[in-house]
Amino acid sequence: MGSGQQPIRSVAASVLLAVEHGQSLSQCLPPALNRVGEGERAELQALCYGTCRWFQRLDGELQGRLKKPLRKQDRVVHHLMLVALFQLRFSEQATYAVLNESVEACRALDKPHLTGLVNGVLRAAEREGAPEPKDDSVRFSHPQWMVDKLRHNWPRDWQRILDANNTQAPMTLRVNALRFAREHYLGLLQEAGIEATATRFAPHAVQLARPVPVDRLPWFADGAASVQDEAAQLCTTLLDLAPGQRVLDACAAPGGKTCAILEACGELSEVVAIDESAERLPRVQENLDRLDLTATLKQADAADIDSWWDGTEFDRILLDVPCSATGVIRRHPDIKLLRRESDIAPLAWIQLGLLEAMWSILKPGGRLVYATCSVFPQENHRIIQRFVKQQPDAGLIEPDVAWGRDTGAGRQLLPDPDSHDGFFYAVLEKPEP
């Protein structure tokens, strides 16, 4: 451990405490990576993601082993023990290393008075093994409200959804159709010693057998491919793109779908990409630059049309709305700690408001694709049903596709442990006058 660097478990505990206080891993993990040695960064990420993934199960066990909760000012040590339990239950780390280094990490957190507790709890956990889960929240390692909601919404599938959420998502690429045919790029991957297969539904997607660093991917830096889940890639097939169209990608950051739209049809008249976040828009530009693509980027609230719209209607609109992200928990396990049941109703109002705003700038004869990475009907087909009921000129199109479940107002993909994330799509068309 070099100068200024800290024990990896103490850093992981601090990251998890930040998540408990409302920060996402994407916010608090990047700066934390600089607090450990370069060779430890992948392990730190694995500890943080893994502990979040199994948080409810680990926390259920830990609470059963503590005679009383730790004081608020010592809460970071609670998370330190969760990290250690994760390693004991789900990693191949040597037990003696987990125990000894967790005690040292406790000292590094300036909590020497709790080293005896940490040592005792972890030794008992190692000696006694994992307890039988008391309830579904602990068994499936999800917050109870989420388990209940999934059980209610998907009575035949809820356990499969929960199990899928606890798997590690595969690494999927979108081959740049302006540069390579999918079969050609699969051949390049094979030559590079990277095992991959074509996906079932997205025409330009390939799934890797094992994740690899992007710098190992053939021609990645030159724009040959991008990392994007298969479900997210399906938006281009639903937009029915054609040369000369003006296309809007609302809520665009980090830009994967913007780039997919430009790759899918090289002769669009303009692609406008909007996002409310000034911090996230540069990432969109970085993706465009790497792929040698051009779009008009605007920082704005898409629903506040007067602040950004130039008065020219769009032929195609992709509306990938803010949502609970419950279809991508396996990629973002901190969602289990961050999301609250009380978030869903306000999100639904935002989603409906965005849909109403975007409809007003869609050209007659145009098409709007509504998308979420949620598995909750309240954010998905129920929004579409409400909108169609109040908007008489909104025509609901049932796409002729082989994927997803027909909800009667759009198609729902549930997370598949062997392929795509959970996603929802609905296609609406505005009639000609």
Side-chain angles (χ1 to χ4, degrees):
M1 189 163 54
S3 175
Q5 293 166 3
Q6 300 169 35
I8 188 170
R9 290 167 183 80
S10 65
V11 177
S14 300
V15 169
L16 291 163
L17 183 66
V19 172
E20 185 174 75
H21 289 161
Q23 288 192 53
S24 68
L25 282 176
S26 62
Q27 290 173 308
C28 60
L29 184 55
L33 294 173
N34 296 322
R35 293 161 56 192
V36 301
E38 193 169 340
E40 293 180 312
R41 289 175 184 174
E43 184 184 357
L44 175 60
Q45 181 163 317
L47 286 178
C48 294
Y49 273 78
T51 306
C52 283
R53 180 170 289 118
W54 295 106
F55 184 89
Q56 285 76 16
R57 184 177 296 185
L58 299 169
D59 197 51
E61 176 177 351
L62 181 55
Q63 289 188 44
R65 295 189 181 282
L66 293 174
K67 292 179 181 176
K68 61 180 181 179
L70 292 173
R71 297 178 304 170
K72 187 176 181 181
Q73 60 264 42
D74 294 328
R75 183 69 179 168
V76 68
V77 177
H78 183 98
H79 289 287
L80 173 64
M81 290 188 281
L82 291 179
V83 171
L85 281 176
F86 165 70
Q87 291 192 290
L88 289 175
R89 302 296 179 235
F90 296 101
S91 83
E92 296 178 2
Q93 186 79 28
T95 299
Y96 72 88
V98 175
L99 270 57
N100 295 343
E101 292 169 21
S102 295
V103 170
E104 288 306 309
C106 187
R107 291 195 179 96
L109 289 167
D110 199 23
K111 304 290 182 183
H113 59 290
L114 293 174
T115 54
L117 175 70
V118 170
N119 185 58
V121 166
L122 296 182
R123 287 192 181 281
E126 190 274 329
R127 183 174 62 250
E128 297 166 8
E132 189 67 28
K134 296 177 183 176
D135 53 42
D136 285 341
S137 175
V138 173
R139 179 176 295 107
F140 293 104
S141 200
H142 281 67
Q144 189 63 51
W145 73 265
M146 202 176 282
V147 175
D148 293 342
K149 197 171 185 69
L150 288 169
R151 185 191 280 117
H152 175 72
N153 291 156
W154 301 102
R156 295 183 179 179
D157 304 284
W158 65 277
Q159 293 187 48
R160 282 198 294 271
I161 295 170
L162 294 168
D163 286 338
N165 288 349
N166 288 334
T167 62
Q168 286 188 280
M171 185 172 179
T172 305
L173 308 178
R174 183 187 73 248
V175 178
N176 185 347
L178 300 175
R179 301 283 304 279
F180 291 104
R182 178 164 65 174
E183 289 305 315
H184 185 189
Y185 196 72
L186 280 167
L188 293 177
L189 289 169
Q190 186 175 16
E191 289 173 15
I194 299 171
E195 186 181 347
T197 54
T199 63
R200 288 180 294 167
F201 306 127
H204 307 296
V206 299
Q207 184 174 306
L208 307 188
R210 286 165 295 281
V212 300
V214 293
D215 57 13
R216 275 197 61 201
L217 299 172
W219 303 101
F220 182 86
D222 298 308
S226 301
V227 178
Q228 188 180 39
D229 182 72
E230 181 186 18
Q233 296 185 41
L234 295 169
C235 65
T236 58
T237 64
L238 299 177
L239 282 165
D240 190 28
L241 299 166
Q245 291 174 343
R246 188 175 196 232
V247 182
L248 172 65
D249 182 4
C251 316
K257 297 182 184 69
T258 306
C259 296
I261 287 167
L262 287 159
E263 291 172 7
C265 186
E267 299 174 5
L268 299 168
S269 69
E270 184 184 24
V271 173
V272 178
I274 293 176
D275 203 87
E276 195 171 10
S277 169
E279 293 77 26
R280 299 180 76 205
L281 267 182
R283 176 81 182 279
V284 181
Q285 190 62 58
E286 288 170 14
N287 283 323
L288 290 166
D289 291 344
R290 182 179 63 83
L291 295 162
D292 195 22
L293 300 170
T294 303
T296 304
L297 303 190
K298 297 186 180 186
Q299 183 208 342
D301 175 0
D304 184 13
I305 292 169
D306 293 339
S307 71
W308 65 268
W309 184 46
D310 63 5
T312 303
E313 293 173 321
F314 292 92
D315 300 284
R316 297 288 185 269
I317 297 177
L318 173 63
L319 179 57
D320 186 0
V321 294
C323 71
S324 64
T326 44
V328 293
I329 286 175
R330 61 188 188 163
R331 295 187 191 277
H332 304 282
D334 49 333
I335 289 168
K336 297 179 183 182
L337 284 76
L338 297 170
R339 194 67 64 234
R340 302 286 181 268
E341 186 171 16
S342 57
D343 297 337
I344 308 303
L347 280 168
W349 279 110
I350 291 169
Q351 292 152 1
L352 188 61
L354 280 164
L355 193 47
E356 291 166 350
M358 294 303 97
W359 193 255
S360 71
I361 58 175
L362 181 67
K363 185 183 292 184
R367 174 177 285 204
L368 182 151
V369 173
Y370 174 94
T372 80
C373 54
S374 169
V375 295
F376 291 149
Q378 195 172 345
E379 302 179 89
N380 295 341
H381 72 262
R382 291 181 197 162
I383 293 287
I384 301 302
Q385 288 169 337
R386 286 167 67 184
F387 179 72
V388 170
K389 191 173 182 180
Q390 72 185 39
Q391 193 72 43
D393 67 340
L396 183 60
I397 304 299
E398 178 56 45
D400 182 17
V401 295
W403 49 262
R405 313 263 182 112
D406 180 10
T407 66
R411 297 194 77 83
Q412 179 73 60
L413 286 156
L414 299 178
D416 184 327
D418 299 317
S419 58
H420 53 73
D421 291 339
F423 237 82
F424 175 82
Y425 286 108
V427 182
L428 299 165
E429 286 192 350
K430 183 181 281 191
E432 298 273 9

